[in-house]
């Protein structure tokens, strides 16, 4: 058992704590929700619990399939122990279906299926509003090395394949999602969370949104959507 020490960082949806083992952090998932780079703020009841459990299920699945990630174990309803990461300041978005900012940028309707997954990179910088960047910017800004980016791209596409295969039978379309990576003992690991805050999940039959777009767009039934995702992932046992 590790001992949880002082808070290292507080983000929009999570807090990170040091532990008495320098290689292990504790992540606490909050109910706070933000959108539009923090302009819209609110709370989603029990979101912390749902996102903690949903992320744990995905991280376990990915570990089983050979994708290196920071998850170690659940620690309470809203917490998990993770390997300590030095976060790489690049947000990686994978898209299977047009939605959100891509729809606006390219003038294609939401719901348009892409012929193959699209990868995008954003500079993780709240003050700048996370601008989109490419591999040249990443190299010039020394955010990551070419080798690290090769690894990150490979992992991101593998995560997409694994999640598509897993979510298909659960009646969930994986529209798009955002990943973050970090360095631990010289290795690149997948970090952050994988939840309805960071993924777009649509019901495969009704195309109903089961993710944070319900909050962003004031669609109602926000908590219910997060709960529904967890229920499907746990085979209706929750
Ligand atoms: N996303 C995220 N954090 C961000 C921006 C995007 O988790 O700061 C996720 C978002 O939930 C969606 C995907 O990345 O699943 C693509 O988001 P998009 O670029 O369409 O931006 P949005 O429309 O959410 O502003």
């Amino acid at each position: 058992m590790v001992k949880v020490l002082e808070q290292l960082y507080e983000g929009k949806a999570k807090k990170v704590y040091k532990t008495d083992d320098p290689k292990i952090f504790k992540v606490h998932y909050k109910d706070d929700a933000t959108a539009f780079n923090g302009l819209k703020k609110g709370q989603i009841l029990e979101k912390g619990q749902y996102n903690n459990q949903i992320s744990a299920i995905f991280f376990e699945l990915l570990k089983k399939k050979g994708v290196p990630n920071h998850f170690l174990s659940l620690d309470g309803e809203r917490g998990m122990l993770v390997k300590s990461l030095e976060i790489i300041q690049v947000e990686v978005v994978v898209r299977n279906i047009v939605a959100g900012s891509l729809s606006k940028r390219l003038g294609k309707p939401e719901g348009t299926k892409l012929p193959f997954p699209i990868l995008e990179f954003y500079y993780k910088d709240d003050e700048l509003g996370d601008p989109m960047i490419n591999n040249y910017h990443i190299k010039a800004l020394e955010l990551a090395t070419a080798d690290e980016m090769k690894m990150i791209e490979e992992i991101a596409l593998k995560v997409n394949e694994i999640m598509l295969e897993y979510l298909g039978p659960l009646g969930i379309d994986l529209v798009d999602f955002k990943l973050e990576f970090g360095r631990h003992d010289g290795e690149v690991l997948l970090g952050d969370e994988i939840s309805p805050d960071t993924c777009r999940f649509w019901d495969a039959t009704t195309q109903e949104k089961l993710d944070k777009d319900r909050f962003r767009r004031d669609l109602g039934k926000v908590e219910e959507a997060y709960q529904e995702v967890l229920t499907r992932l746990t085979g209706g046992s929750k």
Side-chain angles (χ1 to χ4, degrees):
M1 269 295 274
V2 292
K3 196 167 155 232
V4 179
L5 303 177
E6 78 269 19
Q7 184 179 304
L8 193 67
Y9 166 82
E10 176 160 8
K12 285 174 275 193
K14 298 188 289 298
K15 292 180 190 175
V16 181
Y17 296 88
K18 280 187 176 176
T19 72
D20 58 356
D21 182 340
K23 296 203 186 266
I24 300 179
F25 288 160
K26 173 158 181 174
V27 177
H28 172 89
Y29 286 72
K30 305 192 287 182
D31 285 352
D32 297 347
T34 62
F36 314 116
N37 201 29
L39 283 179
K40 180 176 170 132
K41 288 195 175 79
Q43 292 244 317
I44 300 174
L45 201 69
E46 308 299 347
K47 175 169 83 77
Q49 292 193 35
Y50 295 135
N51 282 357
N52 186 38
Q53 292 173 54
I54 292 167
S55 293
I57 291 168
F58 283 126
F59 283 134
E60 286 279 14
L61 168 76
L62 292 168
K63 188 159 75 178
K64 218 169 65 191
K65 301 272 184 183
V67 175
N69 66 72
H70 71 160
F71 180 75
L72 290 169
S73 61
L74 279 171
D75 188 38
E77 288 201 311
R78 289 164 182 271
M80 58 172 63
L81 297 176
V82 298
K83 293 184 183 173
S84 54
L85 291 185
E86 179 207 335
I87 287 288
I88 294 170
Q89 302 299 315
V90 177
E91 297 191 352
V92 180
V93 169
V94 184
R95 302 180 182 273
N96 298 303
I97 298 172
V98 174
S101 71
L102 184 68
S103 169
K104 292 206 184 85
R105 196 167 349 107
L106 299 188
K108 289 240 181 272
E110 286 206 316
T112 308
K113 288 210 167 54
L114 294 164
F116 49 81
I118 289 181
L119 273 188
E120 294 172 352
F121 307 118
Y122 294 85
Y123 182 19
K124 187 174 157 61
D125 185 316
D126 280 341
E127 270 182 36
L128 296 176
D130 297 346
M132 194 192 227
I133 52 177
N134 64 30
N135 269 315
Y136 287 88
H137 302 103
I138 292 169
K139 210 170 158 195
L141 294 174
E142 295 184 347
L143 302 178
T145 67
D147 280 351
E148 285 173 336
M149 286 313 295
K150 201 169 152 235
M151 180 71 81
I152 285 172
E153 289 183 21
E154 232 171 72
I155 297 175
L157 292 172
K158 188 159 177 206
V159 169
N160 188 44
E161 278 174 27
I162 294 167
M163 288 181 58
L164 282 171
E165 191 186 317
Y166 184 71
L167 292 171
L170 303 179
I172 295 176
D173 286 345
L174 178 62
V175 176
D176 57 30
F177 57 94
K178 185 258 308 180
L179 300 175
E180 293 185 26
F181 295 84
R183 305 178 183 100
H184 178 92
D185 278 349
E187 204 192 349
V188 172
L189 300 181
L190 175 62
D192 195 42
E193 66 180 284
I194 304 178
S195 73
D197 270 12
T198 61
C199 305
R200 283 195 171 94
F201 297 128
W202 291 356
D203 180 275
T205 312
T206 64
Q207 298 291 284
E208 190 190 5
K209 297 183 198 316
L210 300 172
D211 55 56
K212 201 166 107 178
D213 272 347
R214 302 204 73 83
F215 168 79
R216 292 188 189 101
R217 303 180 188 187
D218 295 318
L219 299 176
K221 292 202 185 152
V222 186
E223 293 88 16
E224 288 87 340
Y226 284 70
Q227 189 174 30
E228 175 64 20
V229 171
L230 180 60
T231 301
R232 291 202 199 181
L233 295 182
T234 52
S237 64
K238 282 238 162 132

